Amino acid sequence: WKKNIALMAEYTEEQNRFLNALHNSTCDDYEHFSPLVEPFIQDGWCTGTDGHHLLRVKQALIPENEVWFRKTEHPDVKSVIPTEFNTKKVITYDAIRAALDKVPMTNEVKCEDCHGDGTVTWVYNSVDGISYDMRGECPVCGGCGEVKLEDPVKDENYPIKIKDIFISSKQLIWFAKTMLTLQLKNICLCSVTDRAYFRRDLDIDMLIMSCKPESEKELSKNPPIILV
């Protein structure tokens, strides 16, 4: 989408904020989730998602001549948007930042080369000119899916609790960045099931899928930070 950056100069500041937030909500794993690497238009909404979190805004808020959105098959967004609400709680940006301030630092992060899977794919070309798709241990992380950093960063896997479900601190970091980009001081939590669903008026939806900690032992080791 970089080739369209020149067009952004023609858009309003608000339109650029929406476009940036949508693109920052997409997936960077083209190999496994290619339909999600760019925002897309569906049922009058523009959606950016990586499969774990989702941002959608009314199409009317996006420039009419916007051409960045892929015309490929996409998941049915309506299937994950709640039709009934079971809570109503205003969450402020300041409360989210306060929760993130409690997240501990770590020197171990997910390997970007294998996306934490521990394996990578490559193509081997034989002397006969035949190409073979190969898969094996990631040489960067040694197959463990994590790499060590010299300088510590926020632990993206730390548990955050929203009512009865858990999300990762990585998702809350995305949530905070999105609210900052959109200049939202608060947003309403409308539903909590196996996902947390947030809404701003009738034109912005945000959703985070839950990710349950692996064990009670992990929870006792890393007591969750309670957001709501």
Side-chain angles (χ1 to χ4, degrees):
W1 62 273
K2 291 182 179 180
K3 64 180 179 181
N4 294 290
I5 288 180
L7 292 175
M8 297 181 67
E10 304 175 7
Y11 301 155
T12 66
E13 181 180 346
E14 182 181 54
Q15 288 172 330
N16 282 324
R17 288 201 301 270
F18 284 126
L19 292 172
N20 286 331
L22 285 165
H23 279 285
N24 291 335
S25 301
T26 56
C27 179
D28 61 359
D29 187 355
Y30 189 89
E31 179 182 356
H32 299 98
F33 302 100
S34 59
L36 305 183
V37 298
E38 291 182 9
F40 56 91
I41 296 173
Q42 188 178 91
D43 300 323
W45 292 81
C46 295
T47 299
T49 179
D50 70 348
H52 301 286
H53 60 236
L54 175 149
L55 167 69
R56 72 173 191 167
V57 304
K58 281 290 187 180
Q59 186 176 346
L61 299 174
I62 303 300
E64 292 184 3
N65 62 335
E66 182 54 56
V67 294
W68 296 354
F69 303 99
R70 294 166 60 90
K71 305 299 182 183
T72 57
E73 292 296 324
H74 296 101
D76 182 11
V77 176
K78 295 194 304 294
S79 66
V80 299
I81 300 296
T83 56
E84 296 181 359
F85 300 158
N86 58 18
T87 188
K88 186 177 182 180
K89 175 71 174 178
V90 175
I91 309 296
T92 66
Y93 174 78
D94 290 340
I96 294 171
R97 288 304 319 173
L100 287 176
D101 288 342
K102 299 176 183 178
V103 175
M105 307 295 281
T106 181
N107 288 88
E108 296 182 350
V109 298
K110 183 172 71 173
C111 176
E112 294 184 356
D113 287 83
C114 67
H115 301 281
D117 180 61
T119 59
V120 292
T121 58
W122 71 94
V123 176
Y124 172 75
N125 296 313
S126 71
V127 294
D128 297 325
I130 301 175
S131 297
Y132 298 89
D133 292 329
M134 309 295 292
R135 190 168 188 86
E137 181 181 283
C138 175
V140 176
C141 66
C144 69
E146 293 184 338
V147 294
K148 292 186 178 296
L149 302 176
E150 292 185 7
D151 299 319
V153 296
K154 287 287 186 180
D155 185 351
E156 293 188 342
N157 295 313
Y158 203 86
I160 307 291
K161 192 170 186 181
I162 299 179
K163 290 190 174 291
D164 296 326
I165 68 171
F166 296 95
I167 66 171
S168 69
S169 50
K170 177 180 181 179
Q171 304 301 348
L172 195 61
I173 291 172
W174 163 81
F175 197 85
K177 288 181 177 179
T178 303
M179 288 189 68
L180 185 63
T181 300
L182 297 177
Q183 297 186 2
L184 300 180
K185 294 183 178 180
N186 55 65
I187 194 167
C188 186
L189 173 64
C190 297
S191 175
V192 179
T193 51
D194 61 342
R195 66 207 68 175
Y197 169 72
F198 305 81
R199 166 167 283 192
R200 199 288 300 268
D201 298 331
L202 298 175
D203 53 9
I204 299 177
D205 288 345
M206 297 173 70
L207 183 144
I208 303 176
M209 300 298 294
S210 64
C211 52
K212 187 176 181 180
E214 295 181 0
S215 65
E216 292 295 330
K217 182 178 181 180
E218 180 182 347
L219 282 179
S220 61
K221 179 182 177 181
N222 299 314
I225 297 168
I226 299 176
L227 179 63
V228 180

